[in-house]
Amino acid sequence: MATACNEPAGGDDPSPAEVVLQTAGLAVGYQDLQVVQGIDLAVQKGKITALLGANGSGKTTVLRTVVGLQRPLGGEVRLFGEVTRAALHARARAGLGYIAENRSLIPALTVRDNLRLAKVDTAAVVALAPPLEKLLSRRAGLLSGGEQQLLSVSRALARRPRLLVVDEFCQGLAPLAAETVSALLRQATEAGTAVLLVEQMLHRALELSDRFLVLRQGAVALAGRSADHRNRTEEIERLTIATDDSARLP
Ligand SMILES: Nc1ncnc2c1ncn2[C@@H]1O[C@H](COP(=O)(O)OP(=O)(O)OP(=O)(O)O)[C@@H](O)[C@H]1O
Ligand SMILES: [Mg+2]
């Protein structure tokens, strides 16, 4: 296995004022089974941190804990400068946005009603994502994967979150759709939003992010600056190619 590196993945020696999210020694499990441990990560204002790893390595578990859907068994989550154990809705009020793997949309409702339900201004969303204007009356479940993610991301960004957490950011998207939502994200980071995302496509994740962490069997196997790894992805590929399940089998 590669050298473990638990250096906070938010930037080089970030000053505390700039760190929007930090976890220390985070351990999470389901019932009695611990699935992630010793997770130290940091996300800075205006920066993107990518969480990588094989299926089952614990990425979604970490995100769910960061947003308040899962209680840690150990360690802590420091959000906007304060250690928190608050529920998702309270963290959302403080400036956290979360897009789950299923895009967090209600498929049977129209685009307009999905926005209404989220109490987000339609005009603000259309300003961020003009292609959505002609889709407002369509049921969200009928949108293409790219349109759905455009809706999810622009809806989340219209609230001007201080931190946006996105699972499976470009899953199933063709390159053009992926580039459209990536551009929206970059625009938001330029305005100061911090982002923590999971992205399966290694090259895309390293292009988009400032820092990355690789989880292997629930622990940080590698972390660093994305720019340093864009031309040498073999090490990360080695860590992510084998499924953790196969590694655990007797
Ligand atoms: N609700 C749950 N109850 C019990 N075990 C769970 C639960 N959710 C996840 N797990 C287990 O925790 C481990 C980590 O799962 P997690 O969903 O965090 O992985 P992941 O890295 O997001 O995988 P993927 O890339 O497939 O989305 C897996 O072994 C999974 O089976
Ligand atoms: Mg997952």
Side-chain angles (χ1 to χ4, degrees), residues 33-115:
L33 182 68
Q34 189 163 302
V35 299
V36 300
Q37 57 280 318
I39 308 293
D40 298 340
L41 66 80
V43 190
Q44 277 180 282
K45 182 177 180 195
K47 303 286 184 194
I48 299 178
T49 294
L51 196 53
L52 309 169
N55 294 127
S57 57
K59 304 179 298 294
T60 296
T61 300
V62 170
L63 295 197
R64 286 174 53 83
T65 311
V66 162
V67 304
L69 287 172
Q70 196 74 38
R71 278 201 178 278
L73 297 173
E76 62 181 34
V77 175
R78 184 176 287 271
L79 188 62
F80 311 133
E82 285 178 19
V83 174
T84 180
R85 291 181 71 82
L88 173 64
H89 61 88
R91 294 184 202 197
R93 270 202 305 274
L96 171 75
Y98 174 50
I99 302 174
E101 207 171 339
N102 65 2
R103 319 282 199 217
S104 303
L105 298 172
I106 300 182
L109 293 185
T110 64
V111 170
R112 188 179 279 106
D113 285 343
N114 267 281
L115 296 177

Side-chain angles (χ1 to χ4, degrees), residues 98-105 111 115 125 128-129 132 135 140 143-157 164-174 177-182 184-185 196-199 204 208:
Y98 174 50
I99 302 174
E101 207 171 339
N102 65 2
R103 319 282 199 217
S104 303
L105 298 172
V111 170
L115 296 177
V125 170
L128 284 170
L132 292 177
L135 302 172
L143 302 184
S144 72
E147 290 163 345
Q148 288 188 20
Q149 191 61 322
L150 191 59
L151 174 58
S152 299
V153 172
S154 57
R155 180 181 66 175
L157 292 178
L164 180 63
V165 175
V166 194
D167 207 346
E168 302 292 359
F169 179 53
C170 288
Q171 188 181 41
L173 303 196
E179 186 42 46
T180 304
V181 289
S182 298
L184 260 186
L185 216 56
L196 174 63
L197 58 80
V198 166
E199 168 59 53
R204 182 175 290 153
L208 190 59

